[in-house]
Amino acid sequence: MPFMRRCDRLEVKGKRLAGIYIHIPFCKSRCKYCDFFSTTHLEKQAQYVQALLVEIQDRLSISNSRYPITNNQYPIANNQYPISTIYIGGGTPSTLQVEHLRAIVEAIRREAKGERQEITLEANPGDITQEKARAWRAMGINRLSIGVQSFEDELLQLIGRRHNAEQARQAVAIAQSAGFDNISIDLIYALPSQTMQQWQHDVAQALQLNVQHISTYGLIYEEGTALTTLLDHGVVEAVDEETEMQMYDYLVEQLTANGYIHYEVSNFALPNCESKHNSSYWNDTPYIGLGAGAHSYNGQQRQWNISDLDTYIQQANAHQLQPQIEQLTDEQRHIERIMLGLRTRHGVAANEIPMQKAQGYINRGLLSAQGNRIVATTQGYHILNTIIEDLIT
């Protein structure tokens, strides 16, 4: 296999916010499987960015006395600890004009203390040009997450993607030539009527791209999406459960054989190339979410902005965002530690779960005891939700 860069190890000492998530809800078109908050009203991007810059100032600036950390309106505000990661997701952030994206990055650089070891931008292959990629790299973005999803043109068209397989391959090559050496691609398996042979081709194509990170997701037919409507009307056919499990097993086998670490149920990375930002979610580390629909977490509370574009713009510009707030109980936090921990290769501490129940899964090869931690096996990942539900009840 051709040489692939091994990413630098990140060493950060002391308690910190994991980072900042910025939601960019704009898409040129909606994918048929997507149920994330997004809009195709690209003409409102400039208004949205301006409102986002106001929120950045109000919530991040330590010197801003308008909304101190103890203010009830913004219980999760201001960065008390160094911000090490920024993740710009969506939606499709790559639809933003370069100057808008630069304004966002520079505003966070001004307001948030700390050294940014990882700044990720989600991008659609059809948006990646040499000019854009160089501009992104120049403004400090050092990681791209590219939504490839498949290398089968027929399947891409079926699920409403606006790129083809060749554009996906070209997008990765353009990013690499622009200096990006930390690239992730997304793949989806169990697409409607997808065959095992098609999935094997997708995995082989992904390996040939020499990227540092691969995220993979089994298709979920979410309520209210166009693809679920097609399924309900018999227009498309879902892949059977056995085939879906075979696809997952093949994926794990091929990626791990080629040097990728299976560090989370859906994520694979070359050594030290794990997503630092997303790993913080799974490690129960606090973060701030900015933008419409964005979630924040401080270890005790979770809050989220309204998922309505016009209302968000109005509230942010008036310095009157009205986030929903959830105070987490000790039991809720305990359950979340189990749910998130078992998704990762580090698992959970044995004293966090009922070992009598866990032993039954260990005997069946679905969980594994590694020192004082309990970790899910590849076979256990197939029924992870069932295992977790049993362990927390």
Side-chain angles (χ1 to χ4, degrees):
M1 183 179 213
F3 171 78
M4 294 188 291
R5 175 182 183 270
R6 264 58 178 172
C7 299
D8 297 330
R9 184 181 300 276
L10 171 64
E11 299 289 349
V12 181
K13 296 180 180 179
K15 188 176 180 181
R16 69 194 189 284
L17 280 171
I20 294 171
Y21 172 79
I22 304 160
H23 191 66
I24 307 297
F26 299 99
C27 294
K28 291 182 179 179
S29 60
R30 282 190 65 85
C31 300
K32 295 179 182 178
Y33 57 84
C34 181
D35 71 336
F36 293 159
F37 168 57
S38 64
T39 176
T40 56
H41 289 287
L42 271 64
E43 73 279 2
K44 295 185 178 182
Q45 284 187 347
Q47 293 175 266
Y48 181 79
V49 170
Q50 180 56 45
L52 185 59
L53 295 176
V54 174
E55 185 187 7
I56 290 171
Q57 170 69 18
D58 284 349
R59 293 193 53 199
L60 295 187
S61 177
I62 294 176
S63 61
N64 187 356
S65 60
R66 182 188 298 274
Y67 300 119
I69 192 72
T70 55
N71 187 287
N72 289 332
Q73 185 175 17
Y74 288 125
I76 304 177
N78 302 64
N79 49 91
Q80 294 180 300
Y81 311 107
I83 302 295
S84 60
T85 66
I86 300 171
Y87 193 102
I88 307 170
T92 314
S94 55
T95 63
L96 283 184
Q97 295 180 25
V98 168
E99 56 265 33
H100 287 157
L101 191 57
R102 185 182 294 113
I104 294 168
V105 173
E106 289 181 351
I108 293 178
R109 184 174 286 121
R110 285 194 307 270
E111 304 297 347
K113 65 179 180 179
E115 180 184 354
R116 254 61 72 185
Q117 284 89 355
E118 180 185 272
I119 304 179
T120 301
L121 176 73
E122 289 185 352
N124 184 288
D127 296 331
I128 299 177
T129 65
Q130 192 69 248
E131 181 182 17
K132 274 190 171 183
R134 287 174 178 167
W136 295 338
R137 193 69 190 89
M139 70 179 70
I141 293 169
N142 58 13
R143 184 175 184 271
L144 289 184
S145 177
I146 303 175
V148 172
Q149 314 312 0
S150 177
F151 293 97
E152 297 287 339
D153 288 342
E154 181 181 351
L155 292 177
L156 288 170
Q157 185 175 9
L158 177 62
I159 62 177
R161 298 296 291 174
R162 56 183 174 87
H163 69 274
N164 58 37
E166 181 57 28
Q167 284 178 303
R169 288 187 286 267
Q170 290 178 357
V172 173
I174 289 171
Q176 290 168 334
S177 68
F180 284 97
D181 53 10
N182 193 358
I183 298 173
S184 177
I185 64 170
D186 288 351
L187 293 177
I188 302 178
Y189 60 94
L191 293 169
S193 302
Q194 185 180 32
T195 66
M196 191 66 188
Q197 184 177 11
Q198 287 175 319
W199 177 238
Q200 290 171 346
H201 176 257
D202 275 354
V203 174
Q205 289 285 292
L207 289 170
Q208 289 179 13
L209 293 178
N210 294 335
V211 295
Q212 290 72 31
H213 190 281
I214 299 175
S215 295
T216 60
Y217 307 94
L219 178 68
I220 298 175
Y221 290 87
E222 301 285 2
E223 185 178 352
T225 63
L227 201 58
T228 299
T229 300
L230 293 176
L231 178 70
D232 292 341
H233 287 82
V235 178
V236 300
E237 183 179 351
V239 168
D240 63 81
E241 185 176 347
E242 182 178 353
T243 300
E244 182 172 353
M245 288 192 293
Q246 290 173 353
M247 288 177 170
Y248 184 75
D249 289 344
Y250 179 81
L251 169 78
V252 174
E253 173 191 327
Q254 290 297 307
L255 294 193
T256 54
N258 281 276
Y260 288 86
I261 297 169
H262 189 193
Y263 73 102
E264 195 268 346
V265 61
S266 300
N267 288 275
F268 303 77
L270 295 181
N272 299 324
C273 294
E274 296 92 341
S275 170
K276 297 175 178 65
H277 185 89
N278 289 342
S279 292
S280 296
Y281 296 151
W282 306 317
N283 294 335
D284 194 38
T285 307
Y287 54 88
I288 282 181
L290 304 167
H295 285 60
S296 302
Y297 171 70
N298 65 1
Q300 303 292 331
Q301 296 168 316
R302 185 173 287 110
Q303 77 178 43
W304 55 97
N305 290 334
I306 190 167
S307 295
D308 180 273
L309 188 67
D310 292 333
T311 304
Y312 169 80
I313 291 173
Q314 180 182 9
Q315 289 183 354
N317 283 331
H319 307 282
Q320 293 182 348
L321 280 174
Q322 299 173 19
Q324 296 293 305
I325 302 168
E326 178 186 13
Q327 183 69 42
L328 301 175
T329 65
D330 289 343
E331 181 181 5
Q332 284 176 309
R333 295 184 64 214
H334 177 244
I335 289 173
E336 289 191 4
R337 283 197 299 273
I338 296 172
M339 293 174 62
L340 295 174
L342 283 177
R343 290 184 61 89
T344 75
R345 68 189 180 105
H346 301 295
V348 296
N351 61 9
E352 291 267 19
I353 59 177
M355 280 306 298
Q356 185 174 0
K357 287 185 178 180
Q359 190 61 52
Y361 292 111
I362 293 172
N363 295 341
R364 294 164 57 189
L366 302 174
L367 295 177
S368 171
Q370 299 182 9
N372 64 347
R373 302 193 71 81
I374 305 300
V375 179
T377 66
T378 300
Q379 292 306 306
Y381 281 147
H382 287 313
I383 60 167
L384 188 57
N385 289 341
T386 300
I387 293 173
I388 291 172
E389 185 176 358
D390 186 30
L391 293 177
I392 64 177
T393 55

